[in-house]
């Protein structure tokens, strides 16, 4: 009996430690249990949103377009004069190490570089050591029914940040512009917010880029409108060009949206998702379009071949 209890106790300990050590977080060179992965309340990433990040996907041990994500991360850092403690190669190694530690073949990877610990003033010179952390987790997509039926979105009153104030090309930790827009969408009981530019042109959603299909042509707002140059967006444009579709980056209006044949959104988390209603108005017949579905299929093929391979 005593022996049985002892075995039970040991296996319980094993279970607990397995659960506690469940998720490993990369933090400044170390892999830590989730509960031990902590940064200072004086970190300017937290105090001022002073930092940059990336959201990356891996599909069956292939990190989709990792090189492009790394480039964008280091461009964002350069734009805010933040020097990464890791080289680009070192960052790739750290990402792979995190995926391996968590035994993840399919994952959503969040890479964050913060300005680091400083004092209560804004001055970034007080922050001597930028922090890097990497979280690799399972991905939360929109519920499957939205991919089948399509999303309902709204244009919202909150305008996209202007390039001259804070370039939307910088993937910074300051996402309040996007969150304000998302709140406005949620308050109207729709899934996503489409932000316009100061002049009322179509810009982008809170975490996704937008595309329209008109005839056999694919249209999307140009980067100078103040959008994040999405990596999924670029992949879709590559696919369309390969399929001999006309693709154009343009200044688009709500008129273009309401007269489009198809509308869809692209993003690392959402991939490609059809939009069937905007501002309460049905797009075309209110059903996901054929070109959207073909592009979605082609994108899925690309995620099997276009990226950085690792093994567990
Ligand atoms: N625009 C913005 C403003 C974004 O934040 C995209 C476009 C799409 O870019 P990619 O490279 O992913 O195709 C993003 C994506 C989420 C989430 O949970 C998405 C993003 C950031 C944070 C969370 O969906 N960025």
């Amino acid at each position: 009996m005593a022996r049985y209890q002892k075995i039970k106790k040991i296996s319980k300990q094993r279970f607990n430690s397995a659960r506690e050590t469940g998720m490993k977080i990369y933090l400044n060179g170390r892999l830590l249990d989730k509960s031990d992965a902590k940064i200072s309340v004086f970190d300017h990433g937290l105090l001022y949103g002073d930092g940059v990040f990336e959201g990356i996907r891996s599909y069956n041990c292939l990190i989709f377009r990792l090189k492009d994500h790394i480039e964008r991360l280091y461009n964002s850092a350069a734009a805010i004069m933040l020097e990464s403690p890791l080289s680009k190669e070192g960052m790739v190694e750290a990402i792979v190490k995190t995926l391996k530690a968590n035994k993840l073949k399919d994952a959503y990877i969040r890479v964050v570089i913060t300005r680091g610990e400083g004092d209560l003033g804004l001055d970034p010179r007080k922050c001597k050591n930028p922090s890097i952390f990497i979280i690799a987790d399972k991905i939360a997509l929109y519920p499957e029914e939205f991919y089948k039926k399509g999303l309902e979105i709204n244009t919202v009153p909150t305008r996209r940040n202007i390039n001259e104030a804070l370039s939307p090309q910088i993937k910074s930790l300051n996402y309040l512009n996007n969150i304000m827009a998302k709140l406005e969408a949620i308050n109207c009981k729709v899934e996503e917010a489409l932000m316009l530019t100061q002049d009322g042109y179509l810009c982008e959603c809170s975490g996704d880029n937008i595309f329209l299909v008109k005839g056999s042509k694919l249209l999307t707002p140009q980067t100078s409108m103040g959008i994040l140059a999405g990596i999924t967006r670029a992949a879709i444009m590559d696919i369309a060009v390969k399929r001999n579709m006309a693709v154009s980056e343009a200044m688009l209006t709500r008129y273009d949206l309401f007269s489009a044949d198809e509308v869809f959104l692209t993003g690392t988390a959402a991939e490609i998702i059809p939009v069937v209603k905007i501002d309460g108005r049905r797009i075309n017949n209110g059903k996901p379009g054929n070109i959207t579905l073909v592009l979605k299929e082609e994108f899925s093929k690309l995620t099997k071949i276009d990226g950085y391979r690792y093994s567990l």
Side-chain angles (χ1 to χ4, degrees):
M1 187 63 184
R3 190 163 163 256
Y4 169 72
Q5 276 178 343
K6 200 171 165 194
I7 291 169
K8 229 173 111 180
K9 201 172 163 196
I10 291 170
S11 64
K12 199 171 166 199
Q13 274 172 356
R14 276 217 187 108
F15 175 71
N16 281 344
S17 64
R19 200 168 49 185
E20 279 155 21
T21 58
M23 184 188 282
K24 292 284 187 191
I25 311 285
Y26 175 99
L27 176 61
N28 296 327
R30 298 200 296 160
L31 281 162
L32 301 172
D33 289 346
K34 184 180 167 186
S35 55
D36 295 327
K38 291 177 178 151
I39 59 161
S40 166
V41 292
F42 283 91
D43 194 304
H44 282 206
L46 176 63
L47 288 177
Y48 301 115
D50 186 356
V52 293
F53 77 102
E54 270 301 314
I56 312 172
R57 283 280 283 276
S58 79
Y59 296 87
N60 196 23
C61 290
L62 187 86
I63 310 174
F64 185 67
R65 294 200 166 183
L66 178 61
K67 197 167 174 287
D68 297 344
H69 280 285
I70 298 282
E71 279 304 312
R72 190 170 68 183
L73 180 67
Y74 280 73
N75 287 340
S76 293
I80 66 163
M81 295 175 74
L82 172 61
E83 205 169 314
S84 169
L86 284 178
S87 65
K88 291 179 188 173
E89 296 74 27
M91 184 63 86
V92 171
E93 270 173 37
I95 291 170
V96 171
K97 217 161 108 177
T98 313
L99 286 165
K100 284 188 178 195
N102 289 284
K103 299 186 180 59
L104 286 168
K105 284 183 171 179
D106 297 276
Y108 182 77
I109 308 149
R110 178 62 58 93
V111 182
V112 182
I113 313 177
T114 75
R115 187 75 67 181
E117 199 174 330
D119 63 18
L120 288 179
L122 281 175
D123 192 345
R125 290 173 302 185
K126 301 275 172 62
C127 309
K128 301 292 182 206
N129 299 305
S131 264
I132 294 181
F133 60 87
I134 304 169
I135 308 169
D137 202 355
K138 292 277 176 216
I139 177 79
L141 291 171
Y142 282 114
E144 190 52 36
E145 58 164 306
F146 289 128
Y147 289 88
K148 291 208 181 92
K149 287 191 196 156
L151 276 188
E152 181 172 353
I153 69 172
N154 274 7
T155 56
V156 293
T158 292
R159 297 294 166 110
R160 189 69 173 117
N161 280 336
I162 56 169
N163 281 317
E164 295 78 1
L166 176 61
S167 169
Q169 294 220 58
I170 303 172
K171 205 162 162 60
S172 85
L173 292 182
N174 196 318
Y175 253 53
L176 268 182
N177 181 211
N178 313 52
I179 290 165
M180 295 304 290
K182 183 88 177 179
L183 283 171
E184 287 164 350
I186 293 166
N187 287 343
C188 293
K189 302 196 167 39
V190 299
E191 284 301 318
E192 242 314 352
L194 173 59
M195 289 178 277
L196 306 176
T197 65
Q198 297 299 306
D199 299 329
Y201 291 103
L202 307 187
C203 203
E204 64 177 338
C205 294
S206 69
D208 301 289
N209 294 115
I210 189 158
F211 281 88
L212 322 183
V213 178
K214 188 72 183 165
S216 59
K217 202 169 179 184
L218 199 59
L219 297 156
T220 194
Q222 59 205 40
T223 43
S224 60
M225 301 310 287
I227 62 163
L228 182 80
I231 285 160
T232 321
R233 173 183 180 272
I236 289 298
M237 288 162 73
D238 290 347
I239 291 169
V241 167
K242 279 215 177 95
R243 292 182 65 89
N244 292 322
M245 264 183 97
V247 181
S248 115
E249 297 180 80
M251 292 171 78
L252 302 165
T253 63
R254 288 171 83 238
Y255 165 82
D256 297 312
L257 206 55
F258 298 134
S259 56
D261 297 324
E262 302 180 26
V263 176
F264 62 89
L265 309 182
T266 64
T268 295
E271 301 182 320
I272 293 123
I273 188 154
V275 173
V276 291
K277 217 179 205 188
I278 304 173
D279 296 341
R281 297 166 66 155
R282 245 175 36 187
I283 303 302
N284 199 358
N285 61 4
K287 297 207 173 88
N290 283 335
I291 292 176
T292 305
L293 298 178
V294 168
L295 292 171
K296 186 168 158 37
E297 196 57 40
E298 291 296 317
F299 179 77
S300 164
K301 286 184 199 160
L302 204 60
T303 62
K304 294 180 177 71
I305 53 171
D306 192 352
Y308 183 96
R309 222 167 263 293
Y310 61 99
S311 54
L312 289 183

